Amino acid sequence: EIVLTQSPGTLSLSPGERATLSCRASQSVTSSFLAWYQQKLGQAPRLLIYGASSRATGIPDRFSGSGSGTDFTLTISRLEPEDFAVYYCQHYGTSLYIFGQGTKLEIK
Amino acid sequence: EVQLVESGGDLVQPGRSLRISCAASGFTFDDYVMHWVRQPPGKGLEWVSAITWNSHTIDYADSVRGRFTISRDNAKHSLYLQMNSLRAEDTAFYYCAKGTGPYYGNFDSWGQGTLVTVSS
C-alpha cells in the first residue's frame, strides 16, 4: 500500500514569504492523479492542484505544483493572509484514494 | 455552480445504523463518479467510498468494507451512504465529493459535511 508523507508537519511563515510544502510517496506514483487540497478552519477542503502541476479553476497563480515519481511539491510564491490553512496531498492509484497527513501553514 | 449538501448526520449508539445523504446540483450528476470522504474532528482526511456514474463499480476503504454501502439515485441527483455496525472510530465529518470524471481521479468539489457521532 502506498503511503504519502507530508513535510513539514507545521510551517510557520509570514505574509509575503514563499512556502514550500513536500509530499513524498512510499513508491513511485502516477503524476496524473496527484492532487493538492487546501482546508481552512471549519471549511471543506478545496482542490488547488491536479495532475501534480495544473491549477484548478479559480486558483491564483501564486500556487504551483511540481514533481514526479515519489517527490512532489506545492509552492506558494508570496503568502497572502488567506493562505494560512492546512494542505493535503492526495493520490489515486492501486491503493485507491490516499491522503497525506497534512501540513499546517501558520502565521509566524 | 456546483453544490453538494449533505444531511442525516446524528448521534448514534455503537452497533446501530445510520444513512446519510448528499443532494447535488449545478452539474450533470450522472456524468461523474461520486465519493464519501471523512474527517474525524481535528484530524486528517480519509477516503471512504466511491461509486461510478452508472453504479457499476463501487469501492470501499478497508476500514468500512462490509459495514457501509454507497448508492446513488441519478434521477434524484442524490448520493447515499448506509452505515451499519457503527463504531466509535467512525465518528467524523462526512463529506460528499464530486470526482473529476465518470470513473476515477481526484475530488474537485466538496460539500460542507455532516457530523456523525458514535457514542453511548
Side-chain angles (χ1 to χ4, degrees):
Chain A
E1 179 180 316
I2 295 173
V3 176
L4 298 179
T5 302
Q6 294 186 239
S7 62
T10 301
L11 184 58
S12 300
L13 293 170
S14 301
E17 291 193 291
R18 180 185 186 90
T20 303
L21 286 67
S22 172
C23 176
R24 178 163 290 176
S26 56
Q27 56 188 278
S28 185
V29 298
T30 307
S31 299
S32 300
F33 295 122
L34 192 289
W36 290 91
Y37 302 85
Q38 176 194 66
Q39 187 177 31
K40 297 180 182 180
L41 191 63
Q43 296 185 16
R46 175 175 70 149
L47 177 66
L48 295 176
I49 301 288
Y50 63 95
S53 60
S54 298
R55 274 188 299 277
T57 302
I59 301 304
D61 60 8
R62 65 179 180 274
F63 291 90
S64 63
S66 62
S68 63
T70 60
D71 291 299
F72 298 88
T73 300
L74 174 70
T75 301
I76 311 172
S77 58
R78 287 169 51 90
L79 285 166
E80 297 286 344
E82 62 267 28
D83 298 336
F84 292 91
V86 180
Y87 292 83
Y88 295 93
C89 59
Q90 178 259 323
H91 183 262
Y92 167 79
T94 54
S95 298
L96 294 181
Y97 302 86
I98 303 295
F99 286 95
Q101 83 280 17
T103 289
K104 181 180 180 180
L105 179 56
E106 65 176 22
I107 298 176
K108 187 174 181 179
Chain B
E1 178 191 2
V2 172
Q3 285 204 324
L4 300 168
V5 180
E6 302 91 339
S7 62
D10 203 351
L11 170 63
V12 61
Q13 293 180 327
R16 303 300 290 264
S17 298
L18 188 69
R19 186 174 93 149
I20 58 176
S21 303
C22 171
S25 61
F27 65 102
T28 306
F29 184 71
D30 52 7
D31 278 353
Y32 294 93
V33 61
M34 295 296 296
H35 303 265
W36 289 102
V37 178
R38 70 183 180 182
Q39 184 174 38
K43 297 189 177 180
L45 299 166
E46 180 190 19
W47 171 79
V48 172
S49 184
I51 183 168
T52 53
W53 70 278
N54 55 6
S55 302
H56 286 184
T57 300
I58 288 174
D59 292 303
Y60 297 99
D62 289 344
S63 57
V64 307
R65 186 176 292 112
R67 300 188 299 122
F68 289 12
T69 302
I70 191 172
S71 62
R72 65 190 292 164
D73 185 334
N74 287 344
K76 294 183 177 179
H77 298 169
S78 292
L79 177 72
Y80 307 101
L81 187 67
Q82 175 68 41
M83 301 180 288
N84 298 333
S85 302
L86 282 161
R87 306 167 180 167
E89 54 265 35
D90 296 320
T91 294
F93 289 94
Y94 284 74
Y95 295 102
C96 167
K98 171 183 166 290
T100 52
Y103 294 106
Y104 41 70
N106 305 116
F107 317 110
D108 66 8
S109 298
W110 300 64
Q112 284 304 300
T114 189
L115 179 60
V116 173
T117 303
V118 184
S119 175
S120 54

